[in-house]
């Protein structure tokens, strides 16, 4: 092989290797794509939507009520779940007349929580029952409350299980948008 050909092959190989390492680092620590498998977050996220999740944000900023978060399912940590965060560590949460209640106050902020009707179901979601969220955990609900297995059924999301915040639908093209 000619020296020029070897040089060109080496340059391409180095470029490809650098690109792969950068892609791996970005996916591992910064942004990761996910596919939505179920309708538990309808109408916000539909089955088959592909989203981007910021894995970097929660290293510097605490999660906020209303965030759409991806986390490792507490019962089987190999599974990733996506839900809306409704109660923060140390809060008392309940559902009253279809609305999220923190302490004695029905939540009107963030406004997105008023767009969905939440049902009292599961061992953590009985009518008239409120639960205390542990200091190192979160309470999450699916936007499609009637078809969502969420904190009402299996409890809290430990802080260590957070993967990141969903911020964009990137596929299919007709649904591309930033998420609130």
């Amino acid at each position: 092989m000619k020296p020029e050909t070897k040089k060109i092959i080496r340059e391409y190989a180095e470029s490809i290797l650098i690109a792969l390492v950068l892609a791996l680092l970005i996916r591992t620590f910064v942004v990761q794509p996910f596919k939505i498998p179920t309708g538990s977050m309808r109408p916000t996220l539909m089955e088959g939507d592909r989203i981007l999740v910021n894995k970097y944000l929660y290293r510097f900023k605490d999660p906020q009520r209303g965030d759409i978060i991806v986390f490792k399912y507490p019962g089987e940590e190999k599974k990733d779940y996506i839900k809306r965060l409704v109660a923060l560590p140390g809060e008392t949460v309940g559902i009253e007349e279809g609305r999220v209640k923190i302490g004695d106050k029905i939540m009107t902020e963030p406004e997105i929580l008023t767009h969905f009707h939440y049902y009292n179901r599961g061992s953590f979601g009985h009518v008239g029952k409120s639960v205390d969220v542990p200091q190192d955990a979160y309470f999450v609900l699916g936007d499609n409350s009637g078809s969502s297995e969420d904190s009402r059924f299996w409890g809290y999301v430990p802080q260590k299980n957070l993967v990141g915040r969903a911020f964009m639908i990137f596929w299919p093209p007709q649904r591309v948008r930033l998420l609130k």
Side-chain angles (χ1 to χ4, degrees):
M1 210 182 283
K2 293 180 181 181
E4 298 112 26
T5 305
K6 285 183 180 180
K7 183 179 178 186
I8 290 171
I9 291 172
R10 182 175 176 202
E11 286 177 8
Y12 275 110
E14 286 176 359
S15 296
I16 290 169
L17 182 62
I18 290 170
L20 288 173
V21 168
L22 286 174
L24 183 62
L25 287 172
I26 289 170
R27 182 180 169 139
T28 302
F29 298 109
V30 183
V31 174
Q32 183 175 350
F34 287 89
K35 182 179 179 185
I36 304 302
T38 70
S40 71
M41 286 295 292
R42 281 176 167 254
T44 307
L45 300 170
M46 306 297 277
E47 298 93 324
D49 281 354
R50 295 184 190 264
I51 61 168
L52 292 176
V53 173
N54 183 333
K55 297 171 76 173
Y56 190 68
L57 178 68
Y58 293 149
R59 295 175 196 253
F60 301 101
K61 179 182 177 215
D62 290 333
Q64 304 294 306
R65 185 182 339 279
D67 285 356
I68 299 172
I69 62 171
V70 172
F71 55 92
K72 302 289 181 196
Y73 175 61
E76 188 178 331
E77 293 188 8
K78 291 181 180 178
K79 284 186 177 181
D80 293 313
Y81 270 36
I82 185 164
K83 304 289 179 199
R84 189 172 302 279
L85 192 152
V86 298
L88 303 169
E91 293 183 330
T92 300
V93 62
I95 298 171
E96 186 174 298
E97 296 178 12
R99 300 286 172 239
V100 174
K101 180 179 164 185
I102 303 295
D104 294 331
K105 184 180 176 195
I106 300 292
M107 291 288 93
T108 57
E109 293 293 327
E111 183 188 352
I112 192 72
L113 293 181
T114 66
H115 293 195
F116 309 106
H117 183 91
Y118 296 104
Y119 295 95
N120 291 307
R121 295 188 176 156
S123 57
F124 290 85
H126 291 298
V127 175
K129 179 180 181 181
S130 293
V131 294
D132 295 322
V133 181
Q135 285 298 328
D136 61 346
Y138 300 94
F139 195 88
V140 297
L141 295 173
D143 289 350
N144 184 6
S145 181
S147 295
S148 179
E149 191 168 305
D150 47 37
S151 285
R152 296 168 301 161
F153 295 92
W154 41 257
Y156 314 102
V157 176
Q159 189 171 12
K160 68 179 178 70
N161 287 28
L162 290 185
V163 173
R165 187 179 100 197
F167 69 92
M168 180 182 187
I169 299 172
F170 72 91
W171 191 263
Q174 68 271 20
R175 291 192 38 81
V176 170
R177 65 183 170 94
L178 294 176
L179 296 169
K180 295 180 184 177

